[in-house]
Amino acid sequence: MSRLISRDPFARQELHREVVASSQTCGNCGGFRWRGGRKLQALFRYSTETDGGRTFDHRGLFCSKSCHDSYHS
Ligand SMILES: [Zn+2]
């Protein structure tokens, strides 16, 4: 189940992300996600959903939106 992160009203599309279980490191910074001092075996996968109902997965798994943005910009 993906969660809405942001919406671009001009492009009529939304950025979503979902948590993916993975032992990989972040595709941008090589880090992990942490919670309460524990390393999480999960990263975020981002996708674009258009108002037309189409979904495009973005390549890579990331620890944060800022890592996603810097990788894909
Ligand atoms: Zn990262």
Side-chain angles (χ1 to χ4, degrees):
M1 187 63 193
S2 66
R3 197 159 72 86
L4 175 64
I5 299 301
S6 64
R7 176 171 173 81
D8 181 343
F10 300 103
R12 289 164 44 99
Q13 63 188 27
E14 298 172 344
L15 181 66
H16 286 242
R17 80 178 174 198
E18 61 183 321
V19 175
V20 177
S22 171
S23 56
Q24 285 178 244
T25 56
C26 172
N28 185 62
C29 73
F32 294 97
R33 291 170 60 224
W34 296 83
R35 181 169 294 153
R38 292 186 51 190
K39 193 167 80 178
L40 299 180
Q41 299 280 324
L43 292 168
F44 294 120
R45 172 162 53 220
Y46 290 84
S47 59
T48 297
E49 293 190 15
T50 70
D51 284 3
R54 300 212 290 163
T55 300
F56 304 93
D57 283 338
H58 298 188
R59 195 158 46 86
L61 296 173
F62 303 98
C63 69
S64 65
K65 182 171 184 300
S66 61
C67 276
H68 163 272
D69 289 352
S70 60
Y71 184 85
H72 281 287
S73 64

Short mmCIF file of all heavy atoms in Angstrom, two decimals:
data_model
loop_
_atom_site.label_atom_id
_atom_site.label_comp_id
_atom_site.label_asym_id
_atom_site.label_seq_id
_atom_site.Cartn_x
_atom_site.Cartn_y
_atom_site.Cartn_z
N MET A 1 0.86 -1.19 0.00
CA MET A 1 0.00 0.00 0.00
C MET A 1 0.89 1.23 0.00
O MET A 1 1.71 1.41 0.89
CB MET A 1 -0.89 -0.03 1.24
CG MET A 1 -1.94 1.07 1.27
SD MET A 1 -3.10 0.88 -0.10
CE MET A 1 -3.93 2.47 -0.02
N SER A 2 0.74 2.06 -1.01
CA SER A 2 1.59 3.24 -1.09
C SER A 2 0.91 4.43 -0.42
O SER A 2 -0.30 4.47 -0.27
CB SER A 2 1.92 3.56 -2.55
OG SER A 2 0.74 3.95 -3.24
N ARG A 3 1.74 5.37 -0.04
CA ARG A 3 1.26 6.54 0.68
C ARG A 3 1.57 7.78 -0.15
O ARG A 3 2.65 7.90 -0.71
CB ARG A 3 1.99 6.63 2.02
CG ARG A 3 1.33 7.54 3.02
CD ARG A 3 1.79 7.16 4.42
NE ARG A 3 3.17 7.55 4.67
CZ ARG A 3 3.54 8.74 5.11
NH1 ARG A 3 2.65 9.66 5.36
NH2 ARG A 3 4.80 9.02 5.31
N LEU A 4 0.62 8.70 -0.18
CA LEU A 4 0.81 9.93 -0.94
C LEU A 4 1.85 10.82 -0.25
O LEU A 4 1.74 11.11 0.94
CB LEU A 4 -0.52 10.67 -1.04
CG LEU A 4 -0.48 12.05 -1.70
CD1 LEU A 4 -0.06 11.93 -3.16
CD2 LEU A 4 -1.84 12.71 -1.59
N ILE A 5 2.84 11.26 -1.00
CA ILE A 5 3.88 12.13 -0.46
C ILE A 5 3.67 13.56 -0.92
O ILE A 5 3.75 14.50 -0.14
CB ILE A 5 5.28 11.65 -0.92
CG1 ILE A 5 5.53 10.24 -0.41
CG2 ILE A 5 6.38 12.60 -0.43
CD1 ILE A 5 5.45 10.10 1.09
N SER A 6 3.43 13.75 -2.20
CA SER A 6 3.19 15.10 -2.69
C SER A 6 2.39 15.02 -3.98
O SER A 6 2.36 14.00 -4.65
CB SER A 6 4.51 15.84 -2.92
OG SER A 6 5.24 15.21 -3.95
N ARG A 7 1.78 16.13 -4.31
CA ARG A 7 0.96 16.19 -5.52
C ARG A 7 1.39 17.38 -6.36
O ARG A 7 1.62 18.47 -5.84
CB ARG A 7 -0.51 16.33 -5.14
CG ARG A 7 -1.41 16.49 -6.33
CD ARG A 7 -2.88 16.41 -6.03
NE ARG A 7 -3.62 16.74 -7.25
CZ ARG A 7 -3.84 15.89 -8.24
NH1 ARG A 7 -3.45 14.63 -8.10
NH2 ARG A 7 -4.46 16.25 -9.33
N ASP A 8 1.52 17.13 -7.67
CA ASP A 8 1.85 18.19 -8.60
C ASP A 8 0.58 18.51 -9.39
O ASP A 8 0.22 17.77 -10.30
CB ASP A 8 2.97 17.72 -9.53
CG ASP A 8 3.38 18.80 -10.52
OD1 ASP A 8 2.61 19.77 -10.70
OD2 ASP A 8 4.47 18.68 -11.09
N PRO A 9 -0.12 19.61 -9.04
CA PRO A 9 -1.41 19.88 -9.68
C PRO A 9 -1.26 20.25 -11.15
O PRO A 9 -2.19 20.09 -11.93
CB PRO A 9 -1.99 21.04 -8.87
CG PRO A 9 -0.82 21.68 -8.23
CD PRO A 9 0.21 20.61 -8.01
N PHE A 10 -0.08 20.73 -11.55
CA PHE A 10 0.11 21.13 -12.94
C PHE A 10 0.34 19.91 -13.83
O PHE A 10 -0.21 19.81 -14.92
CB PHE A 10 1.26 22.13 -13.05
CG PHE A 10 1.01 23.36 -12.24
CD1 PHE A 10 1.64 23.56 -11.02
CD2 PHE A 10 0.10 24.32 -12.69
CE1 PHE A 10 1.39 24.69 -10.25
CE2 PHE A 10 -0.16 25.44 -11.93
CZ PHE A 10 0.48 25.63 -10.70
N ALA A 11 1.14 19.00 -13.33
CA ALA A 11 1.39 17.76 -14.09
C ALA A 11 0.26 16.76 -13.89
O ALA A 11 0.23 15.74 -14.56
CB ALA A 11 2.72 17.14 -13.67
N ARG A 12 -0.66 17.06 -12.94
CA ARG A 12 -1.75 16.15 -12.61
C ARG A 12 -1.21 14.77 -12.26
O ARG A 12 -1.65 13.75 -12.78
CB ARG A 12 -2.76 16.06 -13.77
CG ARG A 12 -3.57 17.35 -13.92
CD ARG A 12 -4.27 17.44 -15.25
NE ARG A 12 -4.90 16.17 -15.62
CZ ARG A 12 -6.20 15.89 -15.46
NH1 ARG A 12 -7.00 16.76 -14.97
NH2 ARG A 12 -6.68 14.74 -15.83
N GLN A 13 -0.24 14.77 -11.37
CA GLN A 13 0.29 13.49 -10.91
C GLN A 13 0.73 13.61 -9.46
O GLN A 13 0.91 14.72 -8.93
CB GLN A 13 1.45 13.03 -11.78
CG GLN A 13 2.66 13.95 -11.75
CD GLN A 13 3.70 13.54 -12.77
OE1 GLN A 13 3.39 12.94 -13.79
NE2 GLN A 13 4.95 13.87 -12.49
N GLU A 14 0.88 12.47 -8.83
CA GLU A 14 1.23 12.41 -7.43
C GLU A 14 2.46 11.56 -7.23
O GLU A 14 2.67 10.58 -7.95
CB GLU A 14 0.08 11.79 -6.61
CG GLU A 14 -1.21 12.59 -6.68
CD GLU A 14 -2.36 11.85 -6.02
OE1 GLU A 14 -2.26 10.63 -5.79
OE2 GLU A 14 -3.37 12.51 -5.74
N LEU A 15 3.24 11.93 -6.23
CA LEU A 15 4.37 11.10 -5.83
C LEU A 15 3.92 10.24 -4.65
O LEU A 15 3.41 10.76 -3.65
CB LEU A 15 5.56 11.97 -5.42
CG LEU A 15 6.81 11.20 -5.00
CD1 LEU A 15 7.41 10.42 -6.16
CD2 LEU A 15 7.85 12.15 -4.41
N HIS A 16 4.11 8.94 -4.78
CA HIS A 16 3.77 8.02 -3.70
C HIS A 16 5.03 7.28 -3.27
O HIS A 16 6.00 7.21 -4.00
CB HIS A 16 2.75 6.99 -4.18
CG HIS A 16 1.37 7.54 -4.36
ND1 HIS A 16 0.30 7.08 -3.64
CD2 HIS A 16 0.90 8.51 -5.17
CE1 HIS A 16 -0.79 7.76 -4.01
NE2 HIS A 16 -0.46 8.62 -4.94
N ARG A 17 4.96 6.72 -2.08
CA ARG A 17 6.04 5.82 -1.70
C ARG A 17 5.48 4.68 -0.88
O ARG A 17 4.44 4.80 -0.24
CB ARG A 17 7.15 6.54 -0.93
CG ARG A 17 6.84 6.79 0.53
CD ARG A 17 8.03 7.46 1.18
NE ARG A 17 7.75 7.86 2.56
CZ ARG A 17 8.47 8.74 3.23
NH1 ARG A 17 9.49 9.33 2.67
NH2 ARG A 17 8.17 9.03 4.48
N GLU A 18 6.21 3.56 -0.93
CA GLU A 18 5.84 2.43 -0.11
C GLU A 18 7.10 1.86 0.53
O GLU A 18 8.21 2.05 0.01
CB GLU A 18 5.11 1.35 -0.92
CG GLU A 18 5.92 0.76 -2.05
CD GLU A 18 5.11 -0.24 -2.85
OE1 GLU A 18 4.35 -0.99 -2.23
OE2 GLU A 18 5.23 -0.26 -4.09
N VAL A 19 6.91 1.20 1.65
CA VAL A 19 8.02 0.59 2.36
C VAL A 19 8.27 -0.79 1.77
O VAL A 19 7.33 -1.57 1.61
CB VAL A 19 7.71 0.50 3.86
CG1 VAL A 19 8.83 -0.25 4.59
CG2 VAL A 19 7.52 1.89 4.45
N VAL A 20 9.53 -1.05 1.42
CA VAL A 20 9.90 -2.32 0.83
C VAL A 20 10.92 -2.99 1.75
O VAL A 20 11.94 -2.38 2.09
CB VAL A 20 10.53 -2.11 -0.56
CG1 VAL A 20 10.98 -3.43 -1.16
CG2 VAL A 20 9.55 -1.40 -1.48
N ALA A 21 10.64 -4.20 2.15
CA ALA A 21 11.60 -4.95 2.97
C ALA A 21 12.83 -5.25 2.14
O ALA A 21 12.73 -5.80 1.04
CB ALA A 21 10.97 -6.24 3.47
N SER A 22 14.00 -4.87 2.64
CA SER A 22 15.23 -5.05 1.88
C SER A 22 16.42 -4.95 2.81
O SER A 22 16.41 -4.17 3.76
CB SER A 22 15.33 -3.95 0.81
OG SER A 22 16.60 -3.98 0.20
N SER A 23 17.45 -5.74 2.53
CA SER A 23 18.69 -5.60 3.29
C SER A 23 19.68 -4.73 2.52
O SER A 23 20.82 -4.57 2.95
CB SER A 23 19.29 -6.97 3.58
OG SER A 23 19.49 -7.67 2.37
N GLN A 24 19.25 -4.17 1.37
CA GLN A 24 20.10 -3.27 0.60
C GLN A 24 20.29 -1.96 1.35
O GLN A 24 19.52 -1.62 2.25
CB GLN A 24 19.44 -2.92 -0.73
CG GLN A 24 19.47 -4.00 -1.79
CD GLN A 24 18.72 -3.52 -3.03
OE1 GLN A 24 17.72 -4.09 -3.40
NE2 GLN A 24 19.22 -2.47 -3.65
N THR A 25 21.30 -1.20 0.91
CA THR A 25 21.47 0.16 1.42
C THR A 25 20.83 1.15 0.45
O THR A 25 20.54 0.81 -0.69
CB THR A 25 22.96 0.50 1.59
OG1 THR A 25 23.61 0.30 0.34
CG2 THR A 25 23.59 -0.38 2.65
N CYS A 26 20.65 2.36 0.93
CA CYS A 26 20.05 3.43 0.12
C CYS A 26 20.83 3.61 -1.19
O CYS A 26 22.06 3.64 -1.18
CB CYS A 26 20.06 4.72 0.93
SG CYS A 26 19.57 6.17 -0.01
N GLY A 27 20.09 3.75 -2.30
CA GLY A 27 20.72 3.90 -3.60
C GLY A 27 21.45 5.22 -3.79
O GLY A 27 22.21 5.38 -4.73
N ASN A 28 21.22 6.16 -2.91
CA ASN A 28 21.88 7.46 -3.04
C ASN A 28 23.01 7.63 -2.03
O ASN A 28 24.14 7.93 -2.39
CB ASN A 28 20.86 8.58 -2.87
CG ASN A 28 21.48 9.94 -3.12
OD1 ASN A 28 21.95 10.23 -4.20
ND2 ASN A 28 21.49 10.77 -2.09
N CYS A 29 22.73 7.47 -0.76
CA CYS A 29 23.73 7.76 0.28
C CYS A 29 24.39 6.51 0.84
O CYS A 29 25.34 6.60 1.60
CB CYS A 29 23.11 8.59 1.41
SG CYS A 29 22.00 7.66 2.49
N GLY A 30 23.87 5.33 0.48
CA GLY A 30 24.46 4.09 0.98
C GLY A 30 24.12 3.81 2.43
O GLY A 30 24.69 2.90 3.04
N GLY A 31 23.18 4.57 2.98
CA GLY A 31 22.82 4.41 4.39
C GLY A 31 21.61 3.53 4.58
O GLY A 31 21.03 2.99 3.64
N PHE A 32 21.24 3.36 5.83
CA PHE A 32 20.04 2.63 6.22
C PHE A 32 19.06 3.59 6.87
O PHE A 32 19.41 4.71 7.24
CB PHE A 32 20.38 1.52 7.24
CG PHE A 32 21.25 0.42 6.69
CD1 PHE A 32 22.61 0.44 6.90
CD2 PHE A 32 20.69 -0.63 5.99
CE1 PHE A 32 23.42 -0.58 6.39
CE2 PHE A 32 21.48 -1.65 5.49
CZ PHE A 32 22.85 -1.63 5.69
N ARG A 33 17.84 3.12 7.03
CA ARG A 33 16.89 3.85 7.87
C ARG A 33 17.04 3.34 9.29
O ARG A 33 17.31 2.17 9.52
CB ARG A 33 15.47 3.65 7.37
CG ARG A 33 15.23 4.35 6.04
CD ARG A 33 13.91 3.95 5.44
NE ARG A 33 12.82 4.29 6.34
CZ ARG A 33 11.80 3.48 6.62
NH1 ARG A 33 11.74 2.28 6.10
NH2 ARG A 33 10.86 3.87 7.45
N TRP A 34 16.86 4.24 10.24
CA TRP A 34 17.02 3.90 11.65
C TRP A 34 15.77 4.33 12.40
O TRP A 34 15.15 5.34 12.07
CB TRP A 34 18.22 4.64 12.25
CG TRP A 34 19.52 4.24 11.64
CD1 TRP A 34 20.07 4.71 10.47
CD2 TRP A 34 20.44 3.27 12.13
NE1 TRP A 34 21.26 4.10 10.22
CE2 TRP A 34 21.52 3.21 11.22
CE3 TRP A 34 20.45 2.45 13.27
CZ2 TRP A 34 22.61 2.36 11.41
CZ3 TRP A 34 21.54 1.60 13.46
CH2 TRP A 34 22.61 1.57 12.54
N ARG A 35 15.42 3.55 13.38
CA ARG A 35 14.33 3.96 14.25
C ARG A 35 14.64 3.48 15.66
O ARG A 35 14.86 2.29 15.86
CB ARG A 35 13.00 3.37 13.77
CG ARG A 35 11.82 3.81 14.65
CD ARG A 35 10.51 3.43 14.00
NE ARG A 35 10.32 4.18 12.75
CZ ARG A 35 9.59 3.73 11.73
NH1 ARG A 35 9.01 2.57 11.78
NH2 ARG A 35 9.46 4.47 10.65
N GLY A 36 14.69 4.42 16.56
CA GLY A 36 14.95 4.08 17.95
C GLY A 36 16.29 3.39 18.14
O GLY A 36 16.42 2.51 18.99
N GLY A 37 17.31 3.78 17.32
CA GLY A 37 18.63 3.20 17.44
C GLY A 37 18.78 1.85 16.79
O GLY A 37 19.83 1.24 16.86
N ARG A 38 17.70 1.38 16.13
CA ARG A 38 17.78 0.08 15.45
C ARG A 38 17.75 0.28 13.94
O ARG A 38 16.97 1.07 13.43
CB ARG A 38 16.62 -0.83 15.87
CG ARG A 38 16.71 -1.26 17.32
CD ARG A 38 15.62 -2.26 17.63
NE ARG A 38 15.59 -3.35 16.64
CZ ARG A 38 14.60 -4.25 16.57
NH1 ARG A 38 13.58 -4.16 17.37
NH2 ARG A 38 14.65 -5.21 15.68
N LYS A 39 18.57 -0.50 13.26
CA LYS A 39 18.62 -0.44 11.81
C LYS A 39 17.39 -1.15 11.24
O LYS A 39 17.09 -2.28 11.65
CB LYS A 39 19.89 -1.14 11.33
CG LYS A 39 20.21 -0.89 9.89
CD LYS A 39 21.63 -1.35 9.60
CE LYS A 39 21.68 -2.85 9.41
NZ LYS A 39 23.05 -3.31 9.07
N LEU A 40 16.70 -0.48 10.32
CA LEU A 40 15.51 -1.07 9.71
C LEU A 40 15.90 -1.80 8.43
O LEU A 40 16.66 -1.28 7.62
CB LEU A 40 14.48 0.01 9.38
CG LEU A 40 13.94 0.82 10.55
CD1 LEU A 40 12.94 1.85 10.05
CD2 LEU A 40 13.28 -0.09 11.57
N GLN A 41 15.34 -3.00 8.26
CA GLN A 41 15.60 -3.76 7.03
C GLN A 41 14.52 -3.39 6.01
O GLN A 41 13.79 -4.25 5.51
CB GLN A 41 15.55 -5.27 7.33
CG GLN A 41 16.59 -5.72 8.33
CD GLN A 41 17.95 -5.90 7.67
OE1 GLN A 41 18.05 -6.33 6.53
NE2 GLN A 41 19.00 -5.55 8.38
N ALA A 42 14.43 -2.11 5.73
CA ALA A 42 13.39 -1.65 4.81
C ALA A 42 13.76 -0.28 4.27
O ALA A 42 14.31 0.55 4.99
CB ALA A 42 12.05 -1.57 5.53
N LEU A 43 13.48 -0.07 3.00
CA LEU A 43 13.71 1.20 2.35
C LEU A 43 12.44 1.63 1.63
O LEU A 43 11.48 0.87 1.54
CB LEU A 43 14.87 1.09 1.35
CG LEU A 43 16.25 0.85 1.97
CD1 LEU A 43 17.25 0.45 0.89
CD2 LEU A 43 16.74 2.08 2.71
N PHE A 44 12.46 2.85 1.11
CA PHE A 44 11.29 3.37 0.39
C PHE A 44 11.46 3.19 -1.11
O PHE A 44 12.52 3.46 -1.66
CB PHE A 44 11.12 4.87 0.66
CG PHE A 44 10.77 5.19 2.09
CD1 PHE A 44 11.59 6.01 2.85
CD2 PHE A 44 9.62 4.68 2.67
CE1 PHE A 44 11.28 6.32 4.15
CE2 PHE A 44 9.29 5.00 3.98
CZ PHE A 44 10.12 5.81 4.73
N ARG A 45 10.38 2.75 -1.74
CA ARG A 45 10.32 2.78 -3.21
C ARG A 45 9.32 3.86 -3.58
O ARG A 45 8.20 3.88 -3.07
CB ARG A 45 9.89 1.45 -3.80
CG ARG A 45 9.64 1.58 -5.32
CD ARG A 45 9.63 0.25 -6.04
NE ARG A 45 8.72 -0.68 -5.42
CZ ARG A 45 8.97 -1.98 -5.27
NH1 ARG A 45 10.09 -2.49 -5.67
NH2 ARG A 45 8.09 -2.75 -4.69
N TYR A 46 9.72 4.74 -4.47
CA TYR A 46 8.87 5.87 -4.88
C TYR A 46 8.25 5.58 -6.23
O TYR A 46 8.83 4.87 -7.07
CB TYR A 46 9.69 7.16 -4.94
CG TYR A 46 10.11 7.62 -3.55
CD1 TYR A 46 11.23 7.09 -2.94
CD2 TYR A 46 9.34 8.53 -2.85
CE1 TYR A 46 11.60 7.48 -1.66
CE2 TYR A 46 9.70 8.93 -1.58
CZ TYR A 46 10.82 8.40 -0.99
OH TYR A 46 11.18 8.77 0.29
N SER A 47 7.08 6.14 -6.44
CA SER A 47 6.41 5.95 -7.72
C SER A 47 5.57 7.19 -8.04
O SER A 47 5.19 7.94 -7.14
CB SER A 47 5.52 4.70 -7.70
OG SER A 47 4.55 4.80 -6.68
N THR A 48 5.31 7.36 -9.31
CA THR A 48 4.44 8.43 -9.78
C THR A 48 3.10 7.83 -10.16
O THR A 48 3.06 6.82 -10.87
CB THR A 48 5.05 9.13 -11.00
OG1 THR A 48 6.29 9.73 -10.61
CG2 THR A 48 4.11 10.20 -11.55
N GLU A 49 2.02 8.43 -9.67
CA GLU A 49 0.69 8.00 -10.09
C GLU A 49 0.01 9.17 -10.76
O GLU A 49 -0.10 10.25 -10.19
CB GLU A 49 -0.13 7.53 -8.88
CG GLU A 49 0.44 6.26 -8.28
CD GLU A 49 -0.45 5.62 -7.23
OE1 GLU A 49 -1.65 5.99 -7.15
OE2 GLU A 49 0.05 4.78 -6.49
N THR A 50 -0.41 8.95 -11.99
CA THR A 50 -1.06 10.02 -12.74
C THR A 50 -2.56 10.01 -12.47
O THR A 50 -3.12 9.01 -12.03
CB THR A 50 -0.84 9.84 -14.25
OG1 THR A 50 -1.59 8.72 -14.69
CG2 THR A 50 0.63 9.63 -14.57
N ASP A 51 -3.19 11.15 -12.79
CA ASP A 51 -4.63 11.21 -12.65
C ASP A 51 -5.33 10.25 -13.60
O ASP A 51 -6.50 9.92 -13.42
CB ASP A 51 -5.13 12.64 -12.88
CG ASP A 51 -4.85 13.54 -11.68
OD1 ASP A 51 -4.23 13.04 -10.72
OD2 ASP A 51 -5.24 14.72 -11.70
N GLY A 52 -4.60 9.83 -14.63
CA GLY A 52 -5.16 8.85 -15.56
C GLY A 52 -5.13 7.43 -15.03
O GLY A 52 -5.57 6.51 -15.70
N GLY A 53 -4.55 7.27 -13.82
CA GLY A 53 -4.57 5.95 -13.18
C GLY A 53 -3.36 5.09 -13.50
O GLY A 53 -3.34 3.91 -13.21
N ARG A 54 -2.31 5.72 -14.07
CA ARG A 54 -1.12 4.94 -14.39
C ARG A 54 -0.07 5.14 -13.29
O ARG A 54 0.02 6.20 -12.68
CB ARG A 54 -0.55 5.36 -15.74
CG ARG A 54 -1.58 5.13 -16.84
CD ARG A 54 -0.94 4.79 -18.14
NE ARG A 54 -0.23 5.90 -18.75
CZ ARG A 54 0.66 5.74 -19.72
NH1 ARG A 54 0.97 4.53 -20.13
NH2 ARG A 54 1.25 6.79 -20.25
N THR A 55 0.72 4.11 -13.07
CA THR A 55 1.76 4.13 -12.04
C THR A 55 3.11 3.82 -12.66
O THR A 55 3.23 2.89 -13.46
CB THR A 55 1.45 3.09 -10.95
OG1 THR A 55 0.18 3.39 -10.37
CG2 THR A 55 2.51 3.11 -9.85
N PHE A 56 4.09 4.63 -12.32
CA PHE A 56 5.46 4.41 -12.78
C PHE A 56 6.35 4.28 -11.55
O PHE A 56 6.48 5.24 -10.79
CB PHE A 56 5.94 5.58 -13.63
CG PHE A 56 5.05 5.90 -14.79
CD1 PHE A 56 4.04 6.85 -14.67
CD2 PHE A 56 5.20 5.24 -16.01
CE1 PHE A 56 3.21 7.15 -15.75
CE2 PHE A 56 4.37 5.54 -17.07
CZ PHE A 56 3.37 6.48 -16.95
N ASP A 57 6.97 3.13 -11.41
CA ASP A 57 7.93 2.97 -10.31
C ASP A 57 9.23 3.66 -10.67
O ASP A 57 9.71 3.57 -11.80
CB ASP A 57 8.21 1.48 -10.06
CG ASP A 57 7.08 0.81 -9.30
OD1 ASP A 57 6.31 1.53 -8.63
OD2 ASP A 57 6.97 -0.41 -9.38
N HIS A 58 9.81 4.35 -9.69
CA HIS A 58 11.10 5.00 -9.89
C HIS A 58 12.20 4.01 -9.55
O HIS A 58 12.08 3.26 -8.58
CB HIS A 58 11.24 6.23 -9.00
CG HIS A 58 10.20 7.29 -9.30
ND1 HIS A 58 10.24 8.54 -8.75
CD2 HIS A 58 9.10 7.26 -10.11
CE1 HIS A 58 9.21 9.24 -9.20
NE2 HIS A 58 8.51 8.50 -10.01
N ARG A 59 13.25 4.03 -10.33
CA ARG A 59 14.34 3.09 -10.12
C ARG A 59 15.04 3.36 -8.78
O ARG A 59 15.28 4.51 -8.41
CB ARG A 59 15.36 3.25 -11.27
CG ARG A 59 16.35 2.16 -11.42
CD ARG A 59 16.92 2.15 -12.85
NE ARG A 59 17.28 3.50 -13.28
CZ ARG A 59 18.46 4.05 -13.02
NH1 ARG A 59 19.37 3.39 -12.35
NH2 ARG A 59 18.74 5.27 -13.45
N GLY A 60 15.35 2.31 -8.06
CA GLY A 60 16.14 2.43 -6.85
C GLY A 60 15.31 2.43 -5.58
O GLY A 60 14.10 2.66 -5.59
N LEU A 61 15.99 2.13 -4.47
CA LEU A 61 15.39 2.15 -3.14
C LEU A 61 16.16 3.16 -2.32
O LEU A 61 17.40 3.21 -2.38
CB LEU A 61 15.48 0.77 -2.48
CG LEU A 61 14.70 -0.36 -3.17
CD1 LEU A 61 15.03 -1.70 -2.51
CD2 LEU A 61 13.21 -0.09 -3.11
N PHE A 62 15.44 3.95 -1.54
CA PHE A 62 16.07 5.08 -0.84
C PHE A 62 15.63 5.15 0.60
O PHE A 62 14.54 4.70 0.96
CB PHE A 62 15.72 6.39 -1.57
CG PHE A 62 16.14 6.38 -3.01
CD1 PHE A 62 15.22 6.08 -4.01
CD2 PHE A 62 17.45 6.61 -3.37
CE1 PHE A 62 15.61 6.02 -5.33
CE2 PHE A 62 17.86 6.55 -4.69
CZ PHE A 62 16.94 6.26 -5.68
N CYS A 63 16.48 5.83 1.42
CA CYS A 63 16.17 5.96 2.83
C CYS A 63 15.27 7.16 3.11
O CYS A 63 14.67 7.25 4.17
CB CYS A 63 17.47 6.08 3.65
SG CYS A 63 18.38 7.61 3.39
N SER A 64 15.17 8.09 2.15
CA SER A 64 14.41 9.31 2.39
C SER A 64 14.04 9.95 1.06
O SER A 64 14.62 9.62 0.01
CB SER A 64 15.23 10.31 3.21
OG SER A 64 16.35 10.72 2.45
N LYS A 65 13.10 10.89 1.13
CA LYS A 65 12.73 11.58 -0.10
C LYS A 65 13.86 12.45 -0.63
O LYS A 65 14.04 12.58 -1.83
CB LYS A 65 11.48 12.44 0.13
CG LYS A 65 11.03 13.14 -1.15
CD LYS A 65 9.69 13.81 -1.00
CE LYS A 65 9.24 14.43 -2.33
NZ LYS A 65 10.20 15.44 -2.83
N SER A 66 14.65 13.04 0.28
CA SER A 66 15.74 13.89 -0.19
C SER A 66 16.77 13.07 -0.96
O SER A 66 17.35 13.53 -1.95
CB SER A 66 16.39 14.64 0.97
OG SER A 66 16.93 13.75 1.91
N CYS A 67 17.01 11.82 -0.53
CA CYS A 67 17.93 10.96 -1.28
C CYS A 67 17.33 10.60 -2.63
O CYS A 67 18.03 10.57 -3.64
CB CYS A 67 18.25 9.69 -0.48
SG CYS A 67 19.59 9.94 0.71
N HIS A 68 16.05 10.29 -2.66
CA HIS A 68 15.37 10.03 -3.93
C HIS A 68 15.52 11.22 -4.87
O HIS A 68 15.85 11.09 -6.04
CB HIS A 68 13.90 9.71 -3.68
CG HIS A 68 13.04 9.83 -4.90
ND1 HIS A 68 12.46 11.02 -5.29
CD2 HIS A 68 12.70 8.92 -5.85
CE1 HIS A 68 11.80 10.82 -6.41
NE2 HIS A 68 11.92 9.56 -6.78
N ASP A 69 15.26 12.42 -4.34
CA ASP A 69 15.26 13.61 -5.18
C ASP A 69 16.67 13.89 -5.72
O ASP A 69 16.81 14.26 -6.89
CB ASP A 69 14.77 14.82 -4.37
CG ASP A 69 13.28 14.73 -4.08
OD1 ASP A 69 12.61 13.83 -4.63
OD2 ASP A 69 12.78 15.56 -3.30
N SER A 70 17.68 13.74 -4.88
CA SER A 70 19.02 14.07 -5.37
C SER A 70 19.49 13.00 -6.37
O SER A 70 20.21 13.31 -7.32
CB SER A 70 20.02 14.24 -4.24
OG SER A 70 20.13 13.07 -3.48
N TYR A 71 19.06 11.76 -6.20
CA TYR A 71 19.44 10.71 -7.14
C TYR A 71 18.78 10.94 -8.50
O TYR A 71 19.38 10.73 -9.54
CB TYR A 71 19.03 9.35 -6.59
CG TYR A 71 19.45 8.18 -7.45
CD1 TYR A 71 20.71 7.61 -7.32
CD2 TYR A 71 18.56 7.62 -8.37
CE1 TYR A 71 21.10 6.54 -8.10
CE2 TYR A 71 18.94 6.55 -9.16
CZ TYR A 71 20.21 6.00 -9.03
OH TYR A 71 20.57 4.94 -9.80
N HIS A 72 17.53 11.36 -8.49
CA HIS A 72 16.76 11.46 -9.73
C HIS A 72 16.77 12.86 -10.34
O HIS A 72 16.18 13.06 -11.38
CB HIS A 72 15.31 11.02 -9.49
CG HIS A 72 15.17 9.53 -9.46
ND1 HIS A 72 15.26 8.73 -10.57
CD2 HIS A 72 14.98 8.67 -8.42
CE1 HIS A 72 15.12 7.46 -10.23
NE2 HIS A 72 14.95 7.39 -8.95
N SER A 73 17.41 13.81 -9.69
CA SER A 73 17.42 15.16 -10.26
C SER A 73 18.60 15.33 -11.21
O SER A 73 19.53 14.57 -11.18
CB SER A 73 17.49 16.20 -9.16
OG SER A 73 18.70 16.09 -8.46
ZN ZN B 1 19.79 7.82 1.62
#
